[in-house]
């Protein structure tokens, strides 16, 4: 039997940062976003949490691949657990020394690593093109994000 997996993005896919965005009138900078991440209190996006639980019930592995940075790992893990995401097979965060202007190479490489571990990625779900581009997933699903775009 194949080891099946799905890939989920975090921000505006699995967790909502809407309350932080509205407090800043949909503005802000990297420092403010980092502070929001470190509070670890973003709520789950309920339909995604429901999908997540359904996928786990069907013995499909879940991996999170996010543009959040490695120093935010502990807060990210705490937030995922607090929001109801209690088990996953891997969490890939952007390395501190990542220098590309686009996050696409990082996310694509993370998916490649997952497939090299023997998983078949049946779906990659996210709110940015970077969650979809670069291969290694049988199906991709783009969720709407009217708030921001990441290259």
């Amino acid at each position: 039997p194949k080891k099946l997996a799905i890939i989920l993005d975090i921000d505006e896919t699995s967790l909502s940062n809407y309350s932080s965005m509205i407090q800043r009138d949909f503005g802000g900078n990297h420092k403010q976003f980092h502070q929001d991440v470190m509070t670890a209190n973003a709520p789950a996006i309920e339909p995604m949490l429901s999908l997540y639980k359904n996928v786990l019930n069907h013995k499909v592995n879940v991996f999170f691949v996010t543009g959040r940075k490695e120093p935010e790992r502990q807060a990210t893990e705490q937030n995922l657990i607090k929001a109801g995401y209690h088990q996953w097979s891997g969490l890939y965060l952007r390395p501190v020394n990542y220098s590309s202007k686009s996050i696409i190479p990082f996310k694509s490489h993370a998916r490649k690593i997952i497939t090299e571990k023997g998983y078949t990625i049946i779906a990659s779900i996210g709110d940015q093109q970077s969650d979809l581009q670069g291969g290694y997933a049988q199906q991709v699903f783009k969720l709407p994000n009217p708030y921001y775009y990441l290259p």
Side-chain angles (χ1 to χ4, degrees):
K2 291 184 178 182
K3 295 187 327 185
L4 301 179
I6 67 166
I7 308 296
L8 299 178
D9 175 49
I10 294 180
D11 296 298
E12 279 50 74
T13 299
S14 301
L15 298 176
S16 173
N17 298 298
Y18 183 77
S19 63
S20 297
M21 289 186 284
I22 202 165
Q23 286 177 1
R24 291 191 300 274
D25 197 24
F26 298 95
N29 56 43
H30 293 291
K31 181 179 179 183
Q32 289 170 318
F33 180 73
H34 172 73
Q35 290 171 340
D36 294 342
V37 168
M38 297 308 284
T39 64
N41 66 358
I45 295 177
E46 289 300 325
M48 188 56 66
L49 181 59
S50 177
L51 174 69
Y52 167 86
K53 290 175 179 178
N54 191 5
V55 165
L56 290 179
N57 286 338
H58 285 88
K59 309 293 187 232
V60 176
N61 296 274
V62 177
F63 292 86
F64 289 101
V65 177
T66 178
R68 291 182 176 199
K69 295 179 182 174
E70 189 60 45
E72 298 168 333
R73 176 176 293 277
Q74 183 177 0
T76 298
E77 290 175 347
Q78 289 173 348
N79 197 161
L80 287 169
I81 292 167
K82 182 178 176 182
Y85 299 95
H86 296 284
Q87 61 186 100
W88 54 83
S89 297
L91 173 60
Y92 293 79
L93 290 94
R94 182 174 20 160
V96 174
N97 62 352
Y98 188 77
S99 61
S100 176
K101 290 184 179 186
S102 172
I103 197 68
I104 294 171
F106 163 72
K107 289 190 173 188
S108 177
H109 183 70
R111 291 190 299 270
K112 178 182 178 188
I113 290 169
I114 293 164
T115 61
E116 288 173 346
K117 291 180 178 182
Y119 292 93
T120 299
I121 300 171
I122 57 175
S124 183
I125 305 170
D127 67 309
Q128 301 290 323
Q129 287 299 326
S130 59
D131 300 312
L132 318 177
Q133 294 179 339
Y136 303 102
Q138 292 180 347
Q139 294 288 320
V140 296
F141 299 92
K142 167 79 169 67
L143 303 178
N145 181 340
Y147 312 118
Y148 59 85
Y149 166 78
L150 299 175

